[in-house]
Amino acid sequence: MSNAKQKRFPQVTLETLPQESRGLAQEILDISSLGLAGPYNVMLRSPVFADRMKRLLDYLRFNNSLPMRLSEFAILIQARLWSSQVEWVAHYPIALRHDLPAHVADDLKQNIRPRNMQPDEDAVYDVCMNMSKNHKISEELFQHAKKVLGEQQLVDLIAVSGTYVTIAMLLSLGEEPIPEGKTLPFPEAI
């Protein structure tokens, strides 16, 4: 069973959106594996926010300074921390396609510190987990992450991580379901 809860917001379609939002909706349709569902269904209730968030997501998903493997790992970390079913279902295959080792993602899914991480994966994990749980990182971790990732990648990592907290919150607000036919990654969270 994939859809235990009903969506809080009726699903938007290109035809049901106001004319001024249709261009943005088409841009979303051109890149999103979820179409206008998931966070976009919620975001499009606030057209200016949706437009600006889409532009930010374009940078963070496709153009930031981190390798895609690390960006997607940061997204999966937030998906796991938030038990964000849709976020995990959407980003797990992307992470694997971009060479995040399956054992790293699978350990994360089981709520265990991933084993045998590369040094950059280890830095991403520690920064994201410490920032998310403690709302800060130690000077030692900062210096280590800066050495491993560099300044721009470290800043982009925080931007990815924080933005995907927002996405997880939007998904939770809307009680957006995973696509039909997909298995819930975190059935215990229902």
Side-chain angles (χ1 to χ4, degrees), residues 77-92:
I77 290 168
Q78 291 309 323
R80 177 62 270 192
L81 288 170
W82 281 83
S83 297
S84 183
Q85 315 278 7
V86 173
E87 211 166 45
W88 188 275
V89 166
H91 288 276
Y92 179 83

Side-chain angles (χ1 to χ4, degrees), residues 110-143:
Q110 298 304 316
N111 264 334
I112 43 181
R113 180 185 180 83
R115 296 162 285 173
N116 303 317
M117 288 186 283
Q118 297 299 314
D120 56 358
E121 294 162 354
D122 187 69
V124 165
Y125 181 84
D126 287 343
V127 167
C128 289
M129 293 301 282
N130 277 275
M131 281 296 210
S132 295
K133 292 184 173 191
N134 305 325
H135 308 142
K136 61 182 176 179
I137 61 173
S138 68
E139 183 64 23
E140 180 181 349
L141 177 54
F142 171 77
Q143 292 300 334

Side-chain angles (χ1 to χ4, degrees), residues 18 37 47 64 69-70 81 105 111 113 115 117 144 160 166-167:
N64 83 67
R69 166 181 61 88
L70 298 180
L81 288 170
N111 264 334
R113 180 185 180 83
R115 296 162 285 173
M117 288 186 283
H144 173 70
V160 169
T166 301
I167 296 298

Side-chain angles (χ1 to χ4, degrees), residues 27 31 53-63:
E27 288 179 34
I31 59 134
M53 182 62 111
K54 161 71 171 58
R55 307 287 166 236
L56 177 60
L57 290 169
D58 285 349
Y59 171 71
L60 294 175
R61 291 244 358 256
F62 307 116
N63 299 302

